[in-house]
Amino acid sequence: MLLQTEKLKHTDSGLFFLLAGPCVIEGENMALNIAETIVKITDRLHIPYVFKGSYRKANRSRIDSFTGIGDEKALKILRKVGETFNIPVVTDIHSAEEARMAAEYADILQIPAFLSRQTDLLVAAAETGRVVNIKKGQFLSPGAMKFAVQKVIDAGNKKVAITERGTTFGYQDLLVDFRGIPEMKSFGYPVILDVTHSLQQPNQTSGVTGGMPQLIETIARAGIATGADGLFMETHPEPEKAKSDGANMLRLDLLEGLLVRLTAIRDTINKFDK
């Protein structure tokens, strides 16, 4: 299943789709350069691609953490990325008021995991008519996500997707239960695996979230093997210098090789499924 957005290319490839980009918009040149790199890769591999970038990071461990360059400035950069490369863009929203604002710039509105039960937010996102991508709360079972999806549908919008991003395990770790992918797919909407956030290590005593990027390929391969419709990855040319979530990002120059291997896995599965 694919996201219901007209700008998505290569929808007949039989491959997974990709949501990828930086955690947060740090500047125009950075966003355009990352998008250009990924567009070239995904066009070559015929992978449907959505550029991801948060215009603001509301959920931070510490008050002195970077939150963004300004809402309007970042949203205009997102729009420019979409127009420059003729691709859809996705960004997070955090309140009903933000839903209406961000819908003017983005094709897909993403509901953060910690807000996945917020009825007013889900309804406001649905009412914009944009695709609504709901991240599964770290505290929710896969089965519980059908109620979040139903809120969007009942608000008159069937353009919805669900993203698995790991489940809280203890205080400082997340685990992915891959049984949840087919369970959530049974609801009839696209299911995405957030590879990089699933490898976060939250609640560090430093106040800075850690991660295990060395396992990105392991998690991504398992997601493709278990039938994920799409993959979500945050990527940056220099993760160690990223202003948010650098500890679990994929280095941009590693993306192409990873996608080549993942497309080979999906191609093999498709052959056996025929």
Side-chain angles (χ1 to χ4, degrees):
M1 288 176 281
L2 287 165
L3 298 172
Q4 297 179 50
T5 171
E6 295 176 358
K7 294 181 184 177
L8 208 58
K9 298 183 288 185
H10 310 299
T11 55
D12 58 349
S13 67
L15 295 174
F16 54 90
F17 57 87
L18 176 70
L19 283 67
C23 177
V24 62
I25 299 298
E26 299 175 11
E28 182 175 307
N29 289 338
M30 168 262 214
L32 290 169
N33 289 340
I34 291 175
E36 181 178 21
T37 298
I38 302 177
V39 165
K40 288 178 179 177
I41 295 169
T42 52
D43 278 352
R44 190 156 52 246
L45 296 174
H46 303 287
I47 296 172
Y49 172 54
V50 179
F51 178 82
K52 182 270 165 182
S54 295
Y55 69 89
R56 172 159 47 90
K57 297 299 292 184
N59 174 25
R60 304 310 313 272
S61 297
R62 299 182 350 189
I63 197 168
D64 60 347
S65 297
F66 178 80
T67 57
I69 59 174
D71 291 357
E72 186 177 8
K73 184 177 180 180
L75 285 166
K76 285 181 177 178
I77 290 171
L78 280 169
R79 175 189 282 166
K80 185 169 184 177
V81 168
E83 292 175 347
T84 300
F85 300 105
N86 192 29
I87 55 174
V89 300
V90 57
T91 196
D92 301 281
I93 58 171
H94 314 91
S95 69
E97 292 74 21
E98 286 183 37
R100 291 183 282 273
M101 174 180 67
E104 297 295 320
Y105 300 87
D107 305 277
I108 303 168
L109 302 180
Q110 185 163 277
I111 309 301
F114 283 126
L115 301 176
S116 57
R117 284 171 51 97
Q118 296 300 107
T119 301
D120 58 343
L121 178 57
L122 289 165
V123 170
E127 289 176 344
T128 67
R130 297 301 194 187
V131 178
V132 181
N133 179 30
I134 313 170
K135 285 199 167 184
K136 182 179 77 64
Q138 300 93 324
F139 45 87
L140 290 177
S141 69
M145 285 303 292
K146 64 177 174 287
F147 302 111
V149 169
Q150 195 62 47
K151 291 176 183 179
V152 176
I153 296 168
D154 287 348
N157 187 344
K158 293 184 178 180
K159 295 186 290 186
V160 62
I162 310 166
T163 295
E164 166 64 50
R165 53 95 71 237
T167 301
T168 298
F169 183 73
Y171 288 119
Q172 296 176 322
D173 209 354
L174 297 168
L175 289 179
V176 178
D177 181 355
F178 288 96
R179 297 174 299 177
I181 291 177
E183 182 177 357
M184 291 189 291
K185 285 186 66 170
S186 72
F187 305 157
Y189 297 93
V191 172
I192 304 162
L193 174 61
D194 182 343
V195 178
T196 49
H197 284 104
S198 294
L199 292 167
Q200 282 185 329
Q201 293 179 310
N203 299 322
Q204 300 297 313
T205 55
S206 64
V208 179
T209 298
M212 295 182 289
Q214 70 274 17
L215 293 178
I216 287 173
E217 181 151 352
T218 301
I219 295 293
R221 286 187 180 204
I224 293 300
T226 49
D229 298 298
L231 295 179
F232 178 111
M233 298 184 202
E234 289 185 341
T235 183
H236 194 284
E238 299 178 281
E240 67 278 3
K241 295 182 180 179
K243 296 183 182 295
S244 177
D245 280 2
N248 52 270
M249 278 189 185
L250 178 70
R251 209 173 70 226
L252 186 59
D253 63 359
L254 298 177
L255 179 63
E256 183 169 12
L258 173 59
L259 292 178
V260 167
R261 294 186 288 277
L262 295 176
T263 57
I265 294 172
R266 179 52 59 86
D267 282 339
T268 301
I269 292 171
N270 288 344
K271 289 176 183 177
F272 283 98
D273 284 346
K274 289 181 179 179

